[in-house]
Amino acid sequence: MKKLEDYVKSIPDFPEPGIIFRDVTSILQDADGLVLAIDQLRDMVKELDYDVVVGPESRGFIFGVPVAYTEHKSFVPVRKKGKLPRETISAKYDLEYGTAEIEIHKDAIRPGQRVVIVDDLIATGGTTEAIVRLIEELGGQVVKICFVMELAGLKGRDKLAGYQVDSAIIYEGK
C-alpha cells in the first residue's frame, strides 16, 4: 500500500535553483492519493469538537470542502482581497517579496464557534497566521490547523505557536 508521500512529485530547481518544489497536484490526479489525503485530514479531526472548517483559496478549498462534507460541518472560504461579494474583514501578511491581503465574510464565523483550518501546505506560516487573526477577530476559536504537507525548514509552525498543528507529510527541508 502506498503512503501519501508516494503520490507527491518533487521537482528540483523550481521555481529557482536549489529549491525542491513539492507538487500537491500529483496527489489530486490519482484517485487513491486523493482519498488517502482526505482520509488523513479527517483522521486529524475525528475526535475533535468543532463547528466549521475554514480553507484559503484555492487548495484549501480542494482539501477543506471534502473534510467539511464528510464530517457534516460547514465550510468557510478565505479569499484574496476583492473576491468575496458581501461585507468582509481583511488581514495583510508578508510574502517573500511584498505583502498580500486575504478576506473573510464578516458574518462567516459566529462568536464562540470552534474552527478547524485546512490547507494543502504550510511553508512560512504567514497565510495561516493571517487566517487565524481573521477568525479570532470574528470571535471564533481555532481548535486545530491541518495541512497535507509541511516544509519544516521554513519554520511556519513558529508563527502558529499555541495552536494545535498537524501535517500528513513533513519535509525537513525548505
Side-chain angles (χ1 to χ4, degrees):
M1 182 174 186
K2 289 173 82 171
K3 298 182 297 185
L4 185 57
E5 46 265 52
D6 296 334
Y7 294 95
V8 177
K9 290 189 179 172
S10 298
I11 296 96
D13 299 321
F14 182 83
E16 58 188 51
I19 301 293
I20 299 174
F21 185 84
R22 309 295 182 173
D23 187 8
V24 73
T25 64
S26 54
I27 293 173
L28 301 173
Q29 290 172 297
D30 189 291
D32 292 334
L34 178 58
V35 167
L36 192 55
I38 299 304
D39 285 351
Q40 286 188 23
L41 290 165
R42 288 182 63 207
D43 285 346
M44 293 176 195
V45 299
K46 69 180 176 188
E47 302 295 325
L48 205 56
D49 176 23
Y50 67 103
D51 306 301
V52 61
V53 174
V54 168
E57 71 175 279
S58 63
R59 292 176 304 269
F61 296 5
I62 293 168
F63 292 104
V65 168
V67 171
Y69 173 80
T70 57
E71 299 300 315
H72 198 76
K73 306 295 181 182
S74 60
F75 179 82
V76 171
V78 173
R79 300 214 54 201
K80 295 172 187 163
K81 186 167 180 61
K83 299 292 185 180
L84 291 171
R86 299 191 319 269
E87 188 176 1
T88 62
I89 61 169
S90 64
K92 289 184 180 179
Y93 61 98
D94 292 328
L95 299 170
E96 190 175 355
Y97 302 104
T99 62
E101 193 167 358
I102 55 174
E103 295 180 321
I104 190 171
H105 280 130
K106 198 171 189 177
D107 63 354
I109 304 292
R110 292 185 308 278
Q113 280 192 307
R114 298 170 55 81
V115 178
V116 168
I117 299 170
V118 173
D119 203 0
D120 70 320
L121 175 74
I122 179 172
T124 64
T127 304
T128 307
E129 181 185 40
I131 293 167
V132 168
R133 288 196 320 262
L134 291 173
I135 291 166
E136 291 178 347
E137 184 177 335
L138 293 174
Q141 177 189 1
V142 176
V143 295
K144 191 153 190 184
I145 306 170
C146 304
F147 300 99
V148 176
M149 297 187 294
E150 177 175 348
L151 304 178
L154 294 174
K155 302 193 182 303
R157 275 185 194 246
D158 293 353
K159 288 186 178 162
L160 306 174
Y163 297 94
Q164 189 177 356
V165 177
D166 203 354
S167 301
I169 304 168
I170 299 176
Y171 294 103
E172 293 305 321
K174 297 180 178 181

